[in-house]
Amino acid sequence: MTLKKIGHMIHAWLVKFWVPLSIVVALVTVAIGTTMVLLHREQVTVKIENIPIHSKKGPTAPTVGVLKPGEHLQILQRTGGWYQVRRENESKAWVAGWLVERSKPLNKLTPLSESTVVLDPGHGGSDSGALSTNNKYEKNYTLALAKRVKKQLEKRGTRVIMTRSTDKLVPLAEIPEIAERNQADLFISFHFDSAPEANSASGYTTYYYHKKNQSKRLAQAINQAISPNMPDDMHNKGVDFGDYLVLRDNSVPAILMENGYINSDRDFKHMQSASYQNKIAKSIPTGLENYLETR
Ligand SMILES: [Zn+2]
């Protein structure tokens, strides 16, 4: 067979098969492109200072170093917001994924920045919760307060999960599951109390159920942090055991805050005000930081 003949054969073959051949080439190009994009997504570049890395997942795991901005990390696995990464020096470590994805600098990076906190605004949707003497719903105030707390926590870099962000009913049994599923470190449920008779009770209480999983200590830390910032006529009823499903069925350190009596006109006046809600919202990160420090 001469070279000329081979040339003719290839030419004939190309003429005959150019359509399927083009399709194959196109598909291979798309496949390579997609792989490149996917591989790229498994990489992240550190943008902010002082992100700690750990030998295991979670803020309490031993710290093995600190990342520098500009460092490229390969993401090996993701769970509960955490990444297992391979560093440029080939070593492996765990890091809070939301912090390595973050570009806005943090004033201070603390264990709270590395924590996942679930906020549960009590009631919602068809469940209005308790009523004020002028028929205002508890569900609206729990949501407003939780949103303010979220804002304060996010300023500190915390990963915040809300059980609801709108006026909807989340079945009670699902609430502790949200904490488990997101591998939360802390859980806070927000409520306002109600007395059988209007204007017969007043004040705020911080409830826990489990002692073993540090919930009682968490309740104490939060109660201590909010108490100096509360209005003078708001009585601190302290920390108490409370048999609530959202606490009982929760393996995460969990508390429930009753932030005043909605059917006390005096308490309700406070509850409605942004300044009262902000006092609580700004005290909670302090309480959480104290709790995390002494862990
Ligand atoms: Zn309630």
Side-chain angles (χ1 to χ4, degrees):
M1 204 185 280
T2 62
L3 270 177
K4 206 177 169 188
K5 263 192 177 170
I6 293 170
H8 276 298
M9 271 178 70
I10 292 174
H11 183 254
W13 190 81
L14 280 174
V15 167
K16 200 173 172 188
F17 295 110
W18 76 272
V19 175
L21 203 64
S22 311
I23 292 171
V24 168
V25 168
L27 285 176
V28 167
T29 311
V30 168
I32 291 171
T34 311
T35 311
M36 298 282 278
V37 168
L38 284 176
L39 277 176
H40 184 74
R41 278 187 60 205
E42 291 310 308
Q43 300 213 343
V44 64
T45 306
V46 180
K47 292 170 277 294
I48 64 168
E49 308 255 5
N50 298 323
I51 303 176
I53 46 166
H54 302 266
S55 55
K56 284 181 190 154
K57 185 189 84 72
T60 53
T63 304
V64 292
V66 172
L67 297 174
K68 284 204 176 72
E71 188 169 340
H72 299 288
L73 305 171
Q74 193 191 342
I75 303 166
L76 303 174
Q77 56 169 309
R78 300 163 194 249
T79 177
W82 283 71
Y83 294 167
Q84 188 195 27
V85 295
R86 181 180 283 126
R87 301 183 68 184
E88 286 169 14
N89 65 8
E90 296 297 313
S91 68
K92 288 181 191 174
W94 284 90
V95 64
W98 60 96
L99 293 179
V100 285
E101 299 287 359
R102 187 184 173 105
S103 46
K104 203 175 165 196
L106 281 168
N107 289 340
K108 209 170 96 190
L109 210 150
T110 67
L112 183 57
S113 321
E114 295 183 281
S115 298
T116 298
V117 179
V118 170
L119 302 179
D120 173 43
H123 314 282
S126 57
D127 171 13
S128 333
L131 296 178
S132 69
T133 59
N134 59 347
N135 295 318
K136 294 282 197 303
Y137 301 150
E138 180 191 351
K139 64 172 183 179
N140 295 330
Y141 301 96
T142 59
L143 182 57
L145 175 59
K147 282 182 174 172
R148 290 185 198 272
V149 176
K150 177 177 191 270
K151 204 172 151 190
Q152 292 301 323
L153 289 173
E154 284 178 344
K155 270 190 197 170
R156 285 154 179 91
T158 309
R159 175 176 175 242
V160 178
I161 313 275
M162 302 272 284
T163 56
R164 67 176 179 106
S165 312
T166 56
D167 183 18
K168 67 166 187 185
L169 179 69
V170 182
L172 218 51
E174 270 179 33
I175 293 170
E177 282 168 21
I178 295 172
E180 310 275 341
R181 198 188 320 132
N182 288 288
Q183 302 176 31
D185 301 294
L186 302 155
F187 173 95
I188 307 175
S189 188
F190 297 93
H191 286 262
F192 295 94
D193 241 326
S194 176
E197 212 176 303
N199 293 306
S200 66
S202 158
Y204 58 96
T205 318
T206 318
Y207 289 101
Y208 67 91
Y209 181 89
H210 295 288
K211 269 186 202 169
K212 264 186 266 171
N213 72 357
Q214 307 284 310
S215 296
K216 187 178 181 183
R217 218 170 53 72
L218 175 61
Q220 286 163 339
I222 294 294
N223 189 272
Q224 272 169 27
I226 62 169
S227 140
N229 303 320
M230 288 299 238
D232 290 339
D233 62 355
M234 258 291 179
H235 173 55
N236 186 359
K237 298 178 80 178
V239 168
D240 208 348
F241 170 83
D243 189 8
Y244 297 102
L245 183 143
V246 294
L247 303 182
R248 194 174 58 231
D249 289 358
N250 220 323
S251 66
V252 171
I255 59 164
L256 185 145
M257 299 174 71
E258 295 278 13
N259 299 291
Y261 279 75
I262 191 167
N263 68 346
S264 147
D265 292 338
R266 197 180 65 192
D267 286 12
F268 186 57
K269 208 175 157 193
H270 288 306
M271 284 167 45
Q272 288 173 290
S273 78
S275 109
Y276 177 76
Q277 292 181 13
N278 277 331
K279 277 173 185 150
I280 300 174
K282 286 181 179 171
S283 310
I284 286 176
T286 312
L288 294 179
E289 267 162 4
N290 293 342
Y291 163 84
L292 292 167
E293 262 170 37
T294 54
R295 185 167 44 189

